[in-house]
């Protein structure tokens, strides 16, 4: 019987050793995973990502504005209606000063293209903000076709009077 007890004691000791070593292995694996996740978190969130290497972008240049001479045109109306006039003052918005110098020689063409388009408008075409928005988009498209390759960013209204 003593042999049996010794054999059972040795078996229990053998079973206890692997379970303790498995537990130590699991704890070590969890510790390694925690260290790896902490390192990854620091790397992606807290480490400076080469701020010294990137130069700050220069502040954007303010746009340049070019005045277009005042335009006064009569609007198309039905026969027998009173004649209505449109007086408009616009400014061309450009990105750079050198573009302004390139557009100034073409200003007679710009006023001509604006005059011919505006003379075909009816008072109903200019009703509301939607009418003015369409007018702005059409004038921008037309001025860009005349001043090509220089591109105008926008046509801005300074004054619009329908009388």
């Amino acid at each position: 019987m003593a042999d049996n007890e010794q054999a059972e004691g040795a078996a229990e000791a053998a079973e206890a050793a692997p379970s303790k070593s498995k537990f130590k292995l699991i704890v070590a694996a969890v510790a390694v995973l925690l260290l790896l996740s902490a390192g990854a978190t620091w790397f992606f969130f807290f480490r400076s990502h080469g701020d010294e290497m990137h130069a700050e972008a220069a502040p954007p240049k303010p746009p340049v504005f070019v005045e277009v001479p005042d335009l006064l045109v009569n609007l198309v109306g039905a026969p027998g209606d009173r004649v209505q006039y449109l007086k408009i003052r616009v400014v061309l918005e450009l990105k750079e000063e050198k573009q302004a110098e390139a557009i100034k020689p073409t200003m007679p063409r710009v006023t001509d293209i604006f005059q011919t388009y505006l003379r075909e408008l009816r008072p109903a075409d200019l009703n509301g903000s939607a009418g003015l928005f369409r007018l702005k988009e059409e004038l921008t498209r037309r001025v860009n076709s005349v001043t090509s390759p220089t591109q105008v960013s926008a046509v801005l209204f300074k004054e619009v009077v329908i009388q």
Side-chain angles (χ1 to χ4, degrees), residues 16-143:
S19 66
K20 283 186 179 182
S21 66
K22 282 184 184 179
F23 178 72
K24 286 182 182 179
L25 182 64
I26 291 173
V27 169
V30 168
V32 168
L33 286 175
L34 283 174
L35 286 174
L36 286 176
S37 65
T41 302
W42 173 82
F43 182 77
F44 287 114
F45 294 112
F46 298 113
R47 185 182 73 110
S48 63
H49 292 285
D51 292 337
E52 302 83 26
M53 296 177 67
H54 298 294
E56 288 191 27
K61 294 179 183 176
V64 177
F65 300 102
V66 176
E67 293 272 338
V68 176
D70 294 354
L71 301 168
L72 179 64
V73 296
N74 56 333
L75 299 174
V76 175
D81 286 348
R82 71 178 181 93
V83 177
Q84 288 188 308
Y85 295 97
L86 169 68
K87 180 181 179 186
I88 189 168
R89 291 178 55 203
V90 296
V91 175
L92 306 177
E93 181 181 349
L94 304 166
K95 293 182 182 187
E96 296 177 346
E97 184 68 36
K98 66 180 181 178
Q99 290 178 328
E101 298 303 319
I103 283 184
K104 286 183 182 178
T106 63
M107 198 54 69
R109 284 193 175 148
V110 171
T111 55
D112 177 60
I113 199 87
F114 283 178
Q115 287 273 353
T116 53
Y117 175 70
L118 293 173
R119 289 186 53 82
E120 294 299 318
L121 293 176
R122 298 181 303 270
D125 295 334
L126 301 172
N127 284 343
S129 61
L132 287 179
F133 182 76
R134 282 192 302 270
L135 177 62
K136 179 187 285 196
E137 292 298 314
E138 185 62 29
L139 292 178
T140 303
R141 187 183 68 75
R142 287 176 183 262
V143 76

